[in-house]
Amino acid sequence: MKATLNPQQAKLQASYAHPGTLYASCYDAEAARLYGAGSDAAIYSVDLSAEKSEAEKKWTHHENYISSLVQCDGMLVSGAYDRQLVRTNIESGEKL
C-alpha cells in the first residue's frame, strides 16, 4: 500500500525566525539538528533536541544567497549564487 500525506492532518511542531528568505535546509538526524540558509548568505542551526531552541547563526562563508545544503560525513556542503561550493566542518565551523 502506498503511503499518502493528508495536509489537513499536518500539525505545526515548531517555528523559527529567519532574516530574509529561506532557500535551503537539511536535517542531520544523528545530531537532531536542522540547518537552514538563504538570502543573507549565512547558515543557521537549530538544535531540535533542546526544550526550547532558536535558530543560531553559525557561518557566513559565502558572498551571496545560499541555495543548497547537504550534510554528510561531518561536513555541511553549501552552494550559493556566488558560484561557490563550500565544505564546512560542522564541529569546528572551519571552511575546508
Side-chain angles (χ1 to χ4, degrees):
M1 180 190 308
K2 186 177 179 182
T4 59
L5 174 67
N6 183 344
Q8 294 175 335
Q9 294 177 339
K11 295 180 183 174
L12 178 65
Q13 296 292 317
S15 176
Y16 303 100
H18 177 276
T21 304
L22 182 69
Y23 290 118
S25 65
C26 72
Y27 175 60
D28 181 352
E30 190 173 303
R33 246 179 213 289
L34 180 66
Y35 294 98
S39 61
D40 68 345
I43 296 175
Y44 291 80
S45 172
V46 176
D47 181 357
L48 299 176
S49 65
E51 180 73 24
K52 183 175 180 176
S53 57
E54 295 190 18
E56 172 189 2
K57 188 173 185 178
K58 298 296 278 183
W59 310 291
T60 46
H61 296 313
H62 286 283
E63 295 176 12
N64 212 316
Y65 71 83
I66 298 169
S67 58
S68 60
L69 289 174
V70 65
Q71 181 274 333
C72 63
D73 299 329
M75 289 185 302
L76 195 63
V77 181
S78 53
Y81 198 71
D82 59 9
R83 299 171 53 180
Q84 301 290 318
L85 283 176
V86 174
R87 294 178 302 147
T88 302
N89 180 300
I90 290 175
E91 291 297 318
S92 68
E94 176 187 10
K95 182 177 174 181
L96 303 173

